[in-house]
């Protein structure tokens, strides 16, 4: 993608943020950030532990981790900008260049891949004209190859701003990205009634609830099959506490349990 819009990928593999990302926050925006940051920091016994949610807070305002956002986090948490940048460049949920309104992640790990994930990626990438971690010219969709969307029982799986779209096909995924770009409300397979924007989701990840946690279902039928079988057959999980008590009693009696007690 163009370096003018999406940062410069250097030979060393580091991203140089655009110059405009270092411009100071407007006074009212900065005041609001400090107010929210104080609430986040108050949750931790050591304030430096609040760095991860504060980076999400920055993304909820700027849409990615800007230079000024790094300065803000460093100032609030008494960290160096190098420490903040080291964290921001380690986790892929933190973007170091402008991100789309919707991050669409296509799982191409083993199970999803053999169930059609690779084909979905190829066709959607060609359909949008972008590759991994690139954004459509309208700024709507950033496309990612994802190692695992943590929903193998619904493979192949696609996520939009970390909401599940199960049992996808190339056609359904192309329709998904087209609807997102058109500004339509899109309902995921599970979770809230519609996919929220990247900035809105970033604010939730910073620890500010959006009131949507109880919308929709949390687990689909395929995820519950094991539980249903266990209930039908009367299976229960081992009582860890009882097992430890039995082991302790055996030791007290001077008996061997016949197992490694290390």
């Amino acid at each position: 993608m163009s370096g003018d819009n999406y940062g410069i990928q250097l030979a060393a593999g580091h991203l140089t943020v655009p110059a405009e990302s270092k411009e100071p926050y407007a006074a009212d925006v900065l005041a609001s950030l400090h107010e929210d940051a104080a609430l986040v920091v108050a949750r931790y016994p050591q304030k430096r532990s609040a760095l991860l949610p504060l980076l999400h807070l920055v993304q909820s305002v700027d849409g990615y981790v800007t230079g000024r956002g790094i300065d803000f986090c460093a100032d609030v948490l008494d960290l160096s900008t190098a420490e903040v940048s080291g964290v921001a460049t380690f986790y892929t949920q933190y973007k170091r260049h402008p991100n789309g309104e919707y991050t669409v992640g296509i799982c191409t790990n083993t199970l999803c891949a053999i169930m059609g994930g690779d084909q979905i990626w190829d066709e959607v990438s060609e359909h949008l004209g972008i590759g991994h971690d690139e954004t459509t010219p309208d700024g709507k969709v950033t496309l990612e190859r994802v190692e695992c969307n943590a929903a193998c029982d619904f493979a192949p799986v696609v996520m939009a701003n970390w909401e599940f779209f199960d049992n996808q096909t190339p056609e359904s995924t192309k329709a998904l990205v087209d609807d997102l770009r058109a500004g339509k409300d899109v309902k995921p397979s599970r979770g809230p009634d519609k996919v929220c924007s990247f900035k809105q989701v970033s604010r939730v990840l910073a620890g500010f609830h959006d009131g949507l946690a109880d919308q929709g279902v949390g687990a689909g039928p395929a995820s519950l099959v094991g539980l249903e079988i266990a209930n039908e057959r009367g299976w229960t999980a081992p009582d860890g506490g009882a097992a430890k008590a039995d082991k302790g009693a055996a030791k007290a009696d001077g008996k061997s349990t016949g197992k490694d007690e290390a």
Side-chain angles (χ1 to χ4, degrees):
M1 301 302 291
S2 169
D4 293 337
N5 296 322
Y6 297 100
I8 304 170
Q9 182 72 47
L10 303 180
H14 299 290
L15 281 166
T16 300
V17 296
E20 60 268 21
S21 87
K22 301 177 183 180
E23 296 176 358
Y25 287 109
D28 60 330
V29 174
L30 184 60
S32 179
L33 271 172
H34 275 293
E35 183 178 346
D36 287 340
L39 296 174
V40 174
V41 172
R43 300 171 187 153
Y44 298 89
Q46 296 186 37
K47 63 181 182 180
R48 67 180 294 139
S49 299
L51 178 55
L52 297 182
L54 283 193
L55 286 169
H56 285 300
L57 182 63
V58 166
Q59 290 196 140
S60 76
V61 173
D62 290 329
Y64 67 110
V65 179
T66 53
R68 62 189 178 188
I70 287 177
D71 290 339
F72 171 79
C73 292
D75 179 60
V76 169
L77 302 177
D78 294 330
L79 297 172
S80 68
T81 54
E83 289 175 305
V84 177
S85 293
V87 173
T89 54
F90 183 83
Y91 296 104
T92 57
Q93 275 192 322
Y94 301 125
K95 310 301 181 181
R96 291 309 311 278
H97 52 93
N99 197 73
E101 187 175 351
Y102 300 97
T103 297
V104 174
I106 299 172
C107 182
T108 55
N109 210 334
T110 308
L111 184 56
C112 279
I114 63 175
M115 294 294 287
D118 283 340
Q119 183 179 354
I120 292 174
W121 167 265
D122 290 341
E123 292 196 26
V124 174
S125 177
E126 181 179 2
H127 178 69
L128 293 176
I130 56 176
H132 172 69
D133 198 28
E134 294 182 345
T135 303
T136 53
D138 57 9
K140 288 289 186 178
V141 172
T142 295
L143 194 62
E144 291 184 340
R145 293 181 72 106
V146 179
E147 277 300 300
C148 183
N149 275 330
C152 300
D153 44 350
F154 293 101
V157 179
V158 173
M159 295 190 89
N161 287 348
W162 302 288
E163 300 293 355
F164 289 107
F165 288 82
D166 303 326
N167 302 311
Q168 292 296 288
T169 64
E171 291 72 24
S172 67
T173 308
K174 284 185 281 188
L176 165 63
V177 296
D178 286 346
D179 286 346
L180 291 173
R181 296 183 72 185
K184 297 180 180 179
D185 288 345
V186 176
K187 183 178 176 61
S189 301
R190 289 167 279 143
D193 292 339
K194 69 174 184 177
V195 176
C196 296
S197 72
F198 181 78
K199 288 184 178 181
Q200 290 171 319
V201 172
S202 294
R203 184 167 177 81
V204 173
L205 292 172
F208 296 91
H209 301 300
D210 58 6
L212 304 180
D214 294 327
Q215 286 187 354
V217 296
S223 300
L224 301 175
V225 170
L227 178 62
E228 292 171 356
I229 293 174
N231 288 337
E232 290 172 0
R233 302 185 180 183
W235 294 345
T236 59
D239 186 343
K244 289 181 179 179
D246 290 343
K247 188 174 181 180
K251 282 186 176 181
D253 291 339
K255 300 176 182 178
S256 172
T257 62
K259 295 180 181 180
D260 183 5
E261 298 178 355

